[in-house]
Amino acid sequence: MKQDAELWDLVIVGGGMTGALLALALRSLTPAKIALVEAQTVSSQHPGFDARSIALSRGSVEQLKRWHLWSNLAPNATAIADIHVSDRGHFGMTHLAAAQFGCDSFGHVLGLEDAGRQLQQALINAEIDFFCPDHVTALISHSDYQEVTLDSGRRLRGRLLVAADGAQSFVRQSLKLESEHIDFNQSAVIANVILDRPHAGRAFERFTEHGPLALLPMAQGDGKCMSLVWAMKADEQARYLALSDGDFLHALQGAFGYRAGKLTKVSQRHGYPLIMSVMPRPIYHRCVFVGNAAQTLHPIAGQGFNLGLRDIATLVQVLTPVLNRGQDAGASEVTHDYLAHRRQDRQATLTAIESLVRGFSNQAFPLVLGRNLGLRLLSWCPPLKRPIVSAASGWPLRRLS
Ligand SMILES: Cc1cc2nc3c(=O)[nH]c(=O)nc-3n(C[C@H](O)[C@H](O)[C@H](O)COP(=O)(O)OP(=O)(O)OC[C@H]3O[C@@H](n4cnc5c(N)ncnc54)[C@H](O)[C@@H]3O)c2cc1C
């Protein structure tokens, strides 16, 4: 006779940044029985823990500290002390210094590959049933649980299934759930570059005629290494990936200028398509979606993971009392509570990012003039910077009743 599959309070599919941190946060706060399935061990080919670096807002870092998880990530993180925003070929420019706002940083830059190694080790050490490398190949919904089958043949049942399986979410596709896509016809070239001088914790965002370009400070390379994300029209990406290192550095220096010094070296370059996708309703029967599985953002404002972390912070707040009372984690009150508390923040962030991408990727004269006046106004009138800084580094999570 076929044996019944084991039952967990939560089965999390996907152990990238979002799934791994959710499992670790819940482990420290609740006695829940947690299973986490992750397809890959960490390597530079890992879809979530690859060569990229991402910027975490100050609010995200504070949240990770509250969960006592920041110490796993801090050794690979670099503080952002200063942000410089400019528009190539136009007069608009502004400069934000954390010290002006009474704080020591706007947030931190995290190297994902190193972060992945730390998090996978923490998952192995914690009391979490961590199935890796293995992946979910089938899903069946039952009234009292969701059941997943893994590539290894193992079957897991979860009272609640958490889909943290990224932009191409297998769970979302299996359940045939709707996701809206916006194709900006842009791709990004990602690389690390070395400067001829220390970056001194400065981050740069520059709007070029090809698309926005960001340079983030990294800990490696004696403080002279920066992480580049250069968004451009999709059909230009192949050309920039194919250039020799010297020609690429020349093109980048031309677009970026010398505000960070001379660019002397570039690492291997990688290309990413930039598509925004959003699930209008990131829940289903005994199932919630978090992080990139729920919404994938354009990296223009470095908000994708920051928003994903707010998804899991809400889920942790909703689930902790339920799990501590030994109640059903997949009850419809739980999934609906999560949905209700995510609505406003998701909507506001998605609308802001879409406007930013459209506004700053467009060379139409009224838009160029508008954004340049906006940047100049920020430079002339420092009090206007405060709401922008608090939105970029803050934590708009509301208290749950
Ligand atoms: C160029 C670029 C720059 C960015 N910069 C920033 C930034 O500065 N700040 C910021 O906040 N965000 C940034 N982001 C966004 C950020 O990288 C993502 O939001 C975040 O990494 C998503 O994490 P995730 O865990 O939700 O998804 P993923 O990282 O995609 O993880 C999903 C995981 O699920 C696993 N998986 C998939 N299918 C299965 C299956 N069937 N079974 C088991 N496991 C499965 C995968 O192996 C993977 O590990 C950037 C993104 C890009 C592309």
Side-chain angles (χ1 to χ4, degrees):
M1 205 177 85
K2 211 170 166 187
Q3 261 210 315
D4 269 357
E6 206 176 328
L7 182 67
W8 278 264
D9 289 307
L10 254 94
V11 172
I12 303 171
V13 183
M17 286 291 282
T18 314
L21 287 165
L22 172 65
L24 291 167
L26 283 173
R27 172 70 305 133
S28 67
L29 294 166
T30 72
K33 189 164 146 59
I34 303 170
L36 172 58
V37 187
E38 165 53 40
Q40 294 192 36
T41 51
V42 176
S43 75
S44 57
Q45 308 306 317
H46 192 283
F49 297 130
D50 56 12
R52 273 173 305 141
S53 291
I54 62 170
L56 305 190
S57 70
R58 204 154 50 87
S60 294
V61 173
E62 290 307 316
Q63 179 60 66
L64 292 167
K65 284 182 184 166
R66 283 196 285 279
W67 287 335
H68 306 290
L69 294 175
W70 180 239
S71 55
N72 290 301
L73 303 171
N76 308 310
T78 311
I80 303 173
D82 226 276
I83 303 176
H84 191 279
V85 186
S86 58
D87 199 353
R88 182 171 189 250
H90 304 287
F91 58 86
M93 186 184 84
T94 196
H95 170 235
L96 305 166
Q100 288 176 329
F101 299 91
C103 46
D104 51 7
S105 75
F106 288 119
H108 282 73
V109 180
L110 194 65
L112 286 178
E113 193 175 338
D114 286 335
R117 281 184 221 291
Q118 299 295 333
L119 290 178
Q120 286 206 345
Q121 193 53 51
L123 288 167
I124 291 165
N125 296 342
E127 273 180 44
I128 290 167
D129 295 308
F130 183 37
F131 301 97
C132 175
D134 208 342
H135 65 275
V136 173
T137 55
L139 167 63
I140 303 174
S141 296
H142 298 267
S143 60
D144 293 338
Y145 53 85
Q146 290 282 357
E147 181 173 310
V148 292
T149 304
L150 310 192
D151 192 43
S152 58
R154 190 185 274 270
R155 287 181 304 140
L156 316 178
R157 289 176 178 174
R159 290 228 177 266
L160 179 69
L161 185 73
V162 180
D165 52 347
Q168 307 302 326
S169 173
F170 173 84
V171 174
R172 188 182 67 227
Q173 293 182 37
S174 302
L175 295 171
K176 300 193 171 26
L177 298 179
E178 190 192 345
S179 178
E180 292 165 1
H181 296 263
I182 305 172
D183 189 345
F184 296 107
N185 190 29
Q186 283 190 352
S187 292
V189 172
I190 315 294
N192 294 340
V193 293
I194 304 287
L195 314 174
D196 66 348
R197 65 198 68 175
H199 50 61
R202 286 181 300 165
F204 296 89
E205 179 102 36
R206 182 154 174 81
F207 298 95
T208 74
E209 65 273 29
H210 301 288
L213 180 167
L215 279 174
L216 299 174
M218 296 175 71
Q220 290 93 322
D222 296 333
K224 293 181 182 170
C225 185
M226 299 197 89
S227 165
L228 167 73
V229 179
W230 192 358
M232 55 186 65
K233 290 212 175 71
D235 54 7
E236 284 173 342
Q237 188 203 49
R239 187 164 67 80
Y240 279 88
L241 289 175
L243 287 178
S244 69
D245 286 0
D247 287 347
F248 181 79
L249 282 173
H250 183 71
L252 179 60
Q253 190 90 65
F256 183 67
Y258 286 83
R259 51 192 45 79
K262 189 167 162 31
L263 309 171
T264 61
K265 254 193 200 165
V266 61
S267 69
Q268 191 187 349
R269 280 156 267 155
H270 301 271
Y272 282 85
L274 298 178
I275 292 170
M276 189 151 148
S277 71
V278 182
M279 282 182 83
R281 205 178 146 77
I283 63 165
Y284 183 71
H285 168 68
R286 294 191 171 277
C287 186
V288 298
F289 292 79
V290 293
N292 272 24
Q295 65 273 318
T296 302
L297 305 187
H298 190 295
I300 187 169
Q303 289 304 311
F305 174 68
N306 289 304
L307 184 61
L309 189 68
R310 299 205 290 275
D311 287 346
I312 62 175
T314 301
L315 191 56
V316 168
Q317 274 184 287
V318 168
L319 279 175
T320 300
V322 173
L323 291 166
N324 282 332
R325 287 196 293 262
Q327 292 170 336
D328 182 354
S332 73
E333 302 80 64
V334 173
T335 52
H336 283 86
D337 213 8
Y338 169 75
L339 181 67
H341 285 100
R342 288 309 296 136
R343 201 167 272 137
Q344 194 186 332
D345 177 27
R346 284 181 90 226
Q347 192 54 54
T349 309
L350 296 167
T351 306
I353 302 285
E354 193 185 341
S355 319
L356 207 60
V357 177
R358 296 202 189 282
F360 276 100
S361 302
N362 198 316
Q363 293 303 314
F365 180 70
L367 276 173
V368 172
L369 184 67
R371 74 191 182 220
N372 275 277
L373 285 173
L375 290 175
R376 228 340 111 87
L377 200 60
L378 285 175
S379 291
W380 287 333
C381 189
L384 289 179
K385 293 176 179 174
R386 193 164 285 280
I388 292 179
V389 169
S390 82
S393 59
W395 189 254
L397 187 68
R398 283 173 304 137
R399 280 215 167 279
L400 306 190
S401 48

